Amino acid sequence: MNRFDTMSKDALSRVEEIMNSTKLNEFLHRKEEEEKKKTCILWVLAIIGAVAAVAAIAYGVYRFFTPDYLEDFEDDFDDDFDDDFFEEEEENADK
């Protein structure tokens, strides 16, 4: 019986080793899957950031090279109004 007891202890220890190694493998594979998810999310965010940066640069170049027509219109309007006002002051001063 002593022989069978040692064999069963050896078998039990081997089974425990196998179980521990499978748990370790499951843990390592779970970590790998989490890392894959993180890298996937990181790539998606990097692509979105690159597209946003290109769009911002394109908008900046567009704004730089596009003339501002409203500024010219406001200048013309202000000049006409100022001339009329000063003419009335000069007429009042002459009287």
Side-chain angles (χ1 to χ4, degrees):
M1 287 267 223
N2 203 6
R3 181 176 168 210
F4 290 117
D5 287 338
T6 57
M7 288 176 60
S8 66
K9 289 181 182 178
D10 287 338
L12 184 62
S13 66
R14 288 182 184 169
V15 169
E16 286 178 357
E17 287 177 19
I18 292 172
M19 288 176 58
N20 288 335
S21 65
T22 56
K23 288 180 183 178
L24 181 63
N25 284 336
E26 288 176 6
F27 180 72
L28 291 175
H29 289 300
R30 188 178 327 142
K31 287 288 185 180
E32 289 175 1
E33 290 176 9
E34 289 176 4
E35 288 178 12
K36 287 180 183 177
K37 289 179 184 178
K38 288 179 183 178
T39 56
C40 180
I41 291 171
L42 184 64
W43 274 105
V44 168
L45 291 175
I47 291 171
I48 290 172
V51 169
V54 168
I57 291 170
Y59 179 72
V61 169
Y62 168 76
R63 292 289 295 178
F64 181 74
F65 286 113
T66 302
D68 189 15
Y69 297 113
L70 184 60
E71 185 176 296
D72 295 337
F73 175 74
E74 289 175 350
D75 288 341
D76 291 342
F77 181 73
D78 289 340
D79 291 341
D80 291 341
F81 179 73
D82 290 342
D83 291 340
D84 292 339
F85 183 71
F86 289 124
E87 287 177 5
E88 290 177 7
E89 276 187 5
E90 290 174 1
E91 289 176 9
N92 289 337
D94 291 336
K95 289 183 182 177

